[in-house]
Amino acid sequence: MILQSKKVLINDEFIPANVEVKNGLISKISPYSDVVGAICLDDYLIAPGIIDLHSDALEKEIEPRPNAHFPINFAIRNLDRKISMAGITTMFHAIGFEENPSKHRNARLAREQIESLYTLQNHNELLVDNLIHARFEISSTESLDDLYICINNGFVDILSIMDHTPGQGQFKTAESLANYYKKHSGWNDEQVQALLDKKMRDKDWDLLQKLLVDAKAKNITLLSHDDDCTQKLDMLLDLGIHISEFPLSLEVAKYALQKGSITGMGAPNVVRGGSQSGNVAAIDLIKEGACSYLCSDYHPNSMLLALFEIEKQANIPLAKAFNMITKTPALSIGLNDRGELKEGNKADIIVIKEAEIPEVVWCIKNGSSAYSNLDFYDMKKFA
């Protein structure tokens, strides 16, 4: 299969080129020319597939309304189709290991989701790569048994550390954290207070350090979450964590970069014009060069649109902005076989229609069509 367009993303530029795909890989990139049998896509952008390091979207697919639950495998398959339509060819599902007794976040359910994702992925039953980002709340020591089972079985690809202790991080006061749980979980004052007490009480730094050492021994990439001060970043660096998710201020984000780490923010933050929780706006970090990559956080469809907003608001060329959802996240976790269109890489490719709301019209994963809205082609012919 040969894709031909005048707007192919090569080395941070959209240039005329032909992209040849063979045996699931990009076998050749050559100057734009008419070739018999080539698929002419001159009206569209051709770019690498999107790589999403953090998405909570599976939670809402399982429980779209409070107490309305759907089977996990059914939810995974539905979400897999949706993320292919969003142009995401590598998705890391952020699965929380927390003491939260709600039905959508607990250790038992986390393990069940991870085992289901791993099984479906390894049986080649999904359209794109659905990988695992395990999130560990440091006060949830009772979650460690289930988390270790997932780690030791090779199910976990990346691991992030969360600390939602009242008074730091995302929740600056106990009241703000209490209000969050009341709103999202429907708990009463007694339930919320019991959880706050546990978060203040149940931390074991020795167990946390052992977890990180064990994860690194399994070549699992480590991330931190909601970093709010430079002192915390120094501690995390000492623990071997070099990726800071959702830093809470420009100062912290810049400090992380100065220390050789990279920073990630949510694409919905860019699209919506700010943080849903009142923290720093992602576009402000981007304008200051303090945001390395974007993730979907909770809304996969925001990934592509965020780039066009960045081009308008931060005056960053679209071709360079693409690195934030392709090359940079790939390299940050050692995925050297994807994230850019070059010979030898996986043929993970998306075709984009430029518009006020850009649209992925074709998503190719490992050289095969995962999704297409190009109804003037018989896509099976090119799979």
Side-chain angles (χ1 to χ4, degrees):
M1 175 172 68
I2 299 176
L3 308 179
Q4 173 186 306
S5 173
K6 294 181 179 178
K7 298 177 181 179
V8 181
L9 183 55
I10 307 290
N11 296 328
D12 296 346
E13 291 184 275
F14 283 107
I15 64 172
N18 289 5
V19 180
E20 185 171 348
V21 173
K22 187 179 296 184
N23 298 325
L25 302 176
I26 297 173
S27 59
K28 184 178 181 181
I29 295 176
S30 55
Y32 180 94
S33 62
D34 290 328
V35 177
V36 174
I39 303 171
C40 182
L41 298 162
D42 282 355
D43 293 332
Y44 301 99
L45 305 177
I46 295 180
I50 297 170
I51 296 167
D52 186 0
L53 297 186
H54 181 129
S55 175
D56 300 339
L58 183 56
E59 287 182 351
K60 286 298 183 184
E61 203 67 42
I62 293 172
E63 188 183 8
R65 288 186 178 180
N67 299 315
H69 297 93
F70 288 88
I72 291 176
N73 280 12
F74 175 71
I76 291 170
R77 291 177 186 275
N78 283 334
L79 182 57
D80 178 54
R81 286 192 291 270
K82 291 178 181 179
I83 60 181
S84 72
M85 292 171 68
I88 298 170
T89 52
T90 302
M91 166 72 89
F92 287 83
H93 295 276
I95 310 294
F97 286 81
E98 304 182 38
E99 70 284 308
N100 185 336
S102 69
K103 294 182 179 179
H104 74 281
R105 275 193 189 177
N106 59 67
R108 179 199 57 77
L109 181 57
R111 178 178 162 189
E112 187 177 350
Q113 290 175 20
I114 288 173
E115 290 173 344
S116 296
L117 280 161
Y118 187 85
T119 299
L120 290 173
Q121 185 67 46
N122 281 272
H123 288 172
N124 297 315
E125 295 183 42
L126 300 175
L127 297 170
V128 302
D129 283 343
N130 288 259
L131 306 177
I132 307 300
H133 172 169
R135 305 172 63 195
F136 175 65
E137 179 71 33
I138 64 173
S139 58
S140 183
T141 53
E142 70 274 21
S143 297
L144 284 171
D145 287 344
D146 286 299
L147 177 54
Y148 264 107
I149 288 172
C150 294
I151 288 174
N152 291 333
N153 282 324
F155 300 158
V156 176
D157 301 285
I158 58 181
L159 171 69
S160 63
I161 304 304
M162 303 183 293
D163 182 1
H164 289 117
T165 306
Q168 59 80 55
Q170 183 177 348
F171 300 101
K172 296 300 185 186
T173 65
E175 182 182 12
S176 64
L177 183 57
N179 288 337
Y180 173 86
Y181 279 108
K182 288 178 183 178
K183 178 181 178 181
H184 291 276
S185 301
W187 295 352
N188 59 36
D189 290 340
E190 184 178 348
Q191 290 172 305
V192 170
Q193 190 58 52
L195 179 63
L196 299 187
D197 291 343
K198 186 181 189 309
K199 285 184 175 293
M200 297 296 292
R201 181 185 67 240
D202 291 351
K203 293 182 182 179
D204 190 321
W205 295 106
D206 290 336
L207 284 178
L208 176 61
Q209 190 158 2
K210 181 180 184 303
L211 171 65
L212 298 179
V213 169
D214 292 342
K216 284 191 287 187
K218 298 281 189 181
N219 295 316
I220 295 171
T221 302
L222 304 177
L223 302 84
S224 59
H225 184 81
D226 288 348
D227 299 323
D228 64 348
C229 65
T230 57
Q231 292 86 350
K232 180 188 285 188
L233 282 174
D234 285 334
M235 179 190 73
L236 294 168
L237 287 166
D238 289 341
L239 293 172
I241 299 174
H242 297 278
I243 301 177
S244 175
E245 287 191 305
F246 315 117
L248 297 183
S249 70
L250 177 60
E251 176 194 10
V252 171
K254 284 187 171 182
Y255 187 79
L257 294 173
Q258 290 169 6
K259 289 291 186 175
S261 296
I262 69 168
T263 57
M265 295 292 286
N269 186 315
V270 176
V271 172
R272 295 178 65 253
S275 165
Q276 65 162 343
S277 53
N279 292 312
V280 67
I283 197 67
D284 292 340
L285 267 61
I286 292 167
K287 289 176 179 178
E288 294 289 333
C291 175
S292 309
Y293 70 89
L294 295 176
C295 64
S296 74
D297 195 0
Y298 55 89
H299 193 257
N301 285 332
S302 289
M303 291 287 271
L304 182 60
L305 181 56
L307 301 189
F308 287 78
E309 290 298 318
I310 289 169
E311 182 181 40
K312 289 189 290 188
Q313 297 183 46
N315 200 30
I316 296 174
L318 183 65
K320 291 188 179 297
F322 255 95
N323 284 330
M324 299 182 74
I325 63 170
T326 55
K327 182 178 179 180
T328 300
L331 295 181
S332 71
I333 60 169
L335 290 179
N336 301 319
D337 61 352
R338 68 196 79 185
E340 50 184 327
L341 300 180
K342 67 178 185 179
E343 294 176 3
N345 266 14
K346 283 180 174 289
D348 292 357
I349 300 168
I350 56 176
V351 179
I352 301 159
K353 179 181 179 180
E354 294 181 276
E356 181 179 357
I357 300 177
E359 177 189 359
V360 174
V361 295
W362 194 7
C363 178
I364 299 168
K365 175 62 188 171
N366 292 331
S368 295
S369 180
Y371 161 76
S372 173
N373 193 28
L374 291 173
D375 55 8
F376 49 89
Y377 286 121
D378 176 7
M379 297 332 292
K380 292 182 180 178
K381 177 180 178 183
F382 305 111

